[in-house]
Amino acid sequence: MDQQLIEKQVLYNGQKVRLEVHHFEDEQGRRHKKEICVHRGAVVVAPFLDVDTILLIRNFRYSIGQYLVELPAGTLEPKEDPMNAAGRELLEETGYIAGRFKPLEAFYASPGILTEKLYGFAAYDLEKSTQRLEVGEEIEPLPTAWDEALQMIRDGRICDAKTIAILLLFNQFHRGGQ
């Protein structure tokens, strides 16, 4: 079905998201709208302390009022290269600097309403530095055995979609070729 955008309303323009309503008209003159949350994208980092130990984080998520076990992640700055963002977020949230990064798969978080594309990275050769949390962040590094991380997905202790996606993608397609 062919449709034409006839109007775009910006309801909110914040630091991380912009909320828009797009109004369309089809060939028969019928109108409909789509609500869209515009997001510049983010990174998700799977940092390895060694071949069998992943560095997860325990992160308080205000939006749901609870702590989640996750991989380090964060929003891209305007025009920021995803690999640079991966290094920045890894240092901020864990206090580690990676000697090397390996790009993994990229995917959309919820493309029905959200433009956010997540870029996955594995991080290796980690060197301890100082955690640099942003104001309001409550994050605790959690070194975790690889098999335990997978078990945490199975039993629901990891319920963050981006973390589940990267851990399972890594396990399925990258585990042998670190």
Side-chain angles (χ1 to χ4, degrees), residues 31-158:
R31 291 182 178 215
H32 66 280
K33 61 185 176 181
K34 295 188 183 287
E35 297 171 351
I36 299 173
C37 180
V38 179
H39 188 285
R40 61 182 167 262
V43 296
V44 185
V45 183
F48 286 90
L49 292 169
D50 59 49
V51 71
D52 293 317
T53 310
I54 186 92
L55 184 59
L56 298 171
I57 59 173
R58 184 172 179 266
N59 190 4
F60 183 76
R61 292 299 190 176
Y62 176 80
S63 59
I64 60 171
Q66 60 184 305
Y67 284 91
L68 294 182
V69 176
E70 306 177 6
L71 288 171
T75 301
L76 294 167
E77 295 296 334
K79 300 184 191 278
E80 184 178 27
D81 179 87
M83 191 171 295
N84 291 343
R88 175 177 50 77
E89 289 295 335
L90 179 64
L91 179 60
E92 285 178 8
E93 295 188 357
T94 69
Y96 280 88
I97 297 170
R100 66 183 169 99
F101 285 98
K102 177 182 177 182
L104 304 174
E105 287 74 13
F107 55 93
Y108 290 96
S110 184
I113 61 165
L114 178 62
T115 65
E116 179 183 32
K117 187 173 188 176
L118 292 143
Y119 299 87
F121 293 90
Y124 302 101
D125 306 327
L126 302 184
E127 180 182 317
K128 185 70 175 132
S129 184
T130 305
Q131 196 176 28
R132 298 179 182 166
L133 298 177
E134 293 179 14
V135 174
E137 286 186 320
E138 297 178 39
I139 298 174
E140 172 191 352
L142 291 175
T144 306
W146 179 256
D147 290 340
E148 178 67 11
L150 295 179
Q151 181 59 40
M152 292 170 81
I153 294 171
R154 278 187 213 99
D155 64 25
R157 287 179 286 160
I158 293 178

